[in-house]
């Protein structure tokens, strides 16, 4: 089978040929149809996360080393399974939940595998969707697509699940006040779509790219703000009657979180999903005196992914803009994403 792998951090992915894996026990062999490209793949390609002040979180120190077969947004078809698998049909079209844990720790036992300290995620620790075939350790990580388009559905495994889980952390209050979404890329547009599907009050999109903000307006944002203009914080304060109550930071950089803190109302709830990196200085008394909540959110559970697909079917959601390309163009897709040329999501397709 053909795989497109990171053999050296920062270097172009290389095509290599490997044997097709043979499933054992509870394993399921999937023929990959579509594989999404995520900003996390850029971090994995680089080999580190930026912690600010010149500090880096090395992936090698966490056991993630080349060769790497990336892509954790994967949809495909069941072609074989081990002898301990029952009630699964060959030919089943599935979206894969990639956020797999060790299966033994307290998080895994509490159905929070995405928080596992010894993760086994597809496309990160284990081979992902840039290979023609991959092994999934158990059929419980397969979510039946039930007629959804594989390319359109693939980003739901990360962009969709991440934003769905993050928005859930605001609770029912999303129906009373708008959510400010920082970042109008694939995640931001996905969050906007999900808020509309849940009949929320609405979303205000913040970004530095006017073209992306225009797309957000076309998809139903109630307002947009370019955070680089001089009066950006004043614009947002006017739009939110003195400050945002709910802010979803999908960038996760120093500038994005500083903007969130600057424009947050008293008692605001800020959820951070982005991993662009950096650090901020925050006076500790201000957390209590304002008082604000700053909460992290990391992808989501397989139960949340199933609920997300149910919502997509129930509301017949139109997904975010998808650019499909053949897997042979994966390196150009990496370059375009790194240079900010992608609106929505790039999904790489394997030849049938």
């Amino acid at each position: 089978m053909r795989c497109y792998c990171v053999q050296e951090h920062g270097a172009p992915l290389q095509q290599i040929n490997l044997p097709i894996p043979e499933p054992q026990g509870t394993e399921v062999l999937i023929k990959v149809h579509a594989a999404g490209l995520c900003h996390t793949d850029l971090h994995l390609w680089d080999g580190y996360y930026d912690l600010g002040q010149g500090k880096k979180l090395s992936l090698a120190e966490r056991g993630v080393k080349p060769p790497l077969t990336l892509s954790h947004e994967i949809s495909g078809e069941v072609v074989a399974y081990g002898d301990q698998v029952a009630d699964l049909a060959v030919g089943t079209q599935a979206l894969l939940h990639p956020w797999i844990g060790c299966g033994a720790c307290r998080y895994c036992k509490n159905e929070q595998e995405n928080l596992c300290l010894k993760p086994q995620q597809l496309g990160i620790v284990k081979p992902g969707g840039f290979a023609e075939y991959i092994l999934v350790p158990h059929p419980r990580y397969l979510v039946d697509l039930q007629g959804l388009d594989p390319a359109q559905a693939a980003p739901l495994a990360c962009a969709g699940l991440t934003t769905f889980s993050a928005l859930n952390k605001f609770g029912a209050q999303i129906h009373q006040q708008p959510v400010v979404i920082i970042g109008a890329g694939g995640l931001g547009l996905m969050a906007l779509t999900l808020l509309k599907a849940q009949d929320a009050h609405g979303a205000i999109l913040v970004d530095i790219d006017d073209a992306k903000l225009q797309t957000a307006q076309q998809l139903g944002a109630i307002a947009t703000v370019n955070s680089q203009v001089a009066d950006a914080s004043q614009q947002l304060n006017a739009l939110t009657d003195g400050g945002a109550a709910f802010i979803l930071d999908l960038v996760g950089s120093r500038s994005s979180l500083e903007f969130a803190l600057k424009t947050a109302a008293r008692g605001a709830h800020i959820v951070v999903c982005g991993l662009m990196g950096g650090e901020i200085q925050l006076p500790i008394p201000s957390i209590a005196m304002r008082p604000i909540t700053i909460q992290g959110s990391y992808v989501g559970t397989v139960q949340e992914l199933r609920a997300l697909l149910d919502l997509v079917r129930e509301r017949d959601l139109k997904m975010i803009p998808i650019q499909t390309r053949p897997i042979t163009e994966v390196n150009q897709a990496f370059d375009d994403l790194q240079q900010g040329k992608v609106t929505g999501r790039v999904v790489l397709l394997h030849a049938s």
Side-chain angles (χ1 to χ4, degrees):
M1 67 175 183
R2 292 186 299 273
C3 304
Y4 294 82
C5 301
V6 177
Q7 300 284 61
E8 179 184 347
H9 289 302
L13 278 64
Q14 297 183 22
Q15 179 186 327
I16 61 174
N17 293 313
L18 295 173
I20 298 175
E22 296 184 7
Q24 307 291 325
T26 63
E27 293 176 334
V28 180
L29 181 65
I30 298 292
K31 178 175 174 55
V32 177
H33 292 321
L37 179 60
C38 172
H39 269 282
T40 296
D41 292 314
L42 288 181
H43 296 301
L44 294 164
W45 180 59
D46 287 332
Y48 65 89
Y49 288 96
D50 179 9
L51 300 180
Q53 299 296 319
K55 296 177 288 186
K56 297 179 179 179
L57 172 61
S58 168
L59 293 171
E61 293 174 359
R62 305 184 72 183
V64 180
K65 303 176 182 179
L68 301 173
T69 306
L70 303 180
S71 183
H72 47 272
E73 298 183 339
I74 310 161
S75 60
E77 175 184 352
V78 175
V79 293
Y81 45 78
D83 59 7
Q84 296 180 31
V85 176
D87 301 322
L88 181 63
V90 169
T92 297
Q93 302 289 319
L95 178 67
L96 309 188
H97 180 267
W99 312 108
I100 298 169
C102 68
C105 70
R106 62 174 180 168
Y107 299 108
C108 291
K109 291 178 179 178
N110 198 36
E111 299 184 337
Q112 295 177 300
E113 291 190 60
N114 56 307
L115 303 182
C116 178
L117 297 177
K118 297 180 180 179
Q120 302 297 310
Q121 308 110 319
L122 302 177
I124 300 176
V125 179
K126 299 293 184 181
F130 291 160
E132 288 186 285
Y133 296 86
I134 63 171
L135 281 178
V136 180
H138 196 281
R140 68 172 174 269
Y141 302 114
L142 277 58
V143 182
D144 198 325
L145 284 176
Q146 295 182 14
L148 296 177
D149 178 80
Q152 292 288 328
L156 295 174
C158 181
L161 179 59
T162 294
T163 51
F164 184 69
S165 182
L167 291 171
N168 285 344
K169 291 173 172 60
F170 292 130
Q173 296 179 86
I174 61 172
H175 300 288
Q176 278 78 53
Q177 299 188 62
V179 176
V180 173
I181 300 172
I182 301 179
L187 284 173
L189 299 181
M190 185 71 77
L192 171 60
T193 300
L194 293 175
L195 284 169
K196 290 173 61 181
Q198 296 177 82
D199 298 320
H201 187 283
I204 300 169
L205 273 290
V206 177
D207 204 288
I208 61 174
D209 187 325
D210 285 332
K212 291 181 179 179
L213 292 174
Q214 184 176 7
T215 300
Q217 284 187 318
Q218 293 169 351
L219 292 177
I222 59 177
T224 60
V225 175
N226 187 317
S227 58
Q228 288 194 320
V229 302
D231 65 340
S233 58
Q234 290 90 339
Q235 286 185 41
L236 191 55
N237 285 338
L239 289 166
T240 55
D241 193 24
F246 305 105
I247 303 176
L248 177 57
D249 182 358
L250 298 172
V251 179
S253 68
R254 175 177 179 174
S255 60
S256 66
L257 189 51
E258 285 181 341
F259 186 80
L261 290 166
K262 184 177 182 180
T263 55
R266 293 180 62 84
H269 188 173
I270 302 170
V271 175
V272 182
C273 294
L275 298 170
M276 292 304 292
E279 64 180 4
I280 63 168
Q281 290 186 334
L282 178 63
I284 294 174
S286 69
I287 300 173
M289 294 173 67
R290 289 180 67 173
I292 57 174
T293 298
I294 303 174
Q295 181 178 9
S297 186
Y298 183 64
V299 294
T301 67
V302 68
Q303 292 80 11
E304 287 177 312
L305 184 57
R306 296 186 194 282
L308 172 58
L309 262 68
D310 287 343
L311 177 65
V312 169
R313 293 189 190 94
E314 176 188 339
R315 300 302 298 266
D316 190 25
L317 290 190
K318 305 303 179 186
M319 292 294 96
I320 62 175
I322 296 293
Q323 301 177 29
T324 58
R325 299 185 182 184
I327 188 68
T328 52
E329 296 182 10
V330 64
N331 283 310
Q332 183 60 54
F334 265 82
D335 289 342
D336 289 347
L337 182 61
Q338 190 173 44
Q339 294 172 29
K341 296 180 180 179
V342 174
T343 297
R345 210 62 156 185
V346 172
V347 175
L348 287 305
L349 304 180
H350 288 272
S352 57

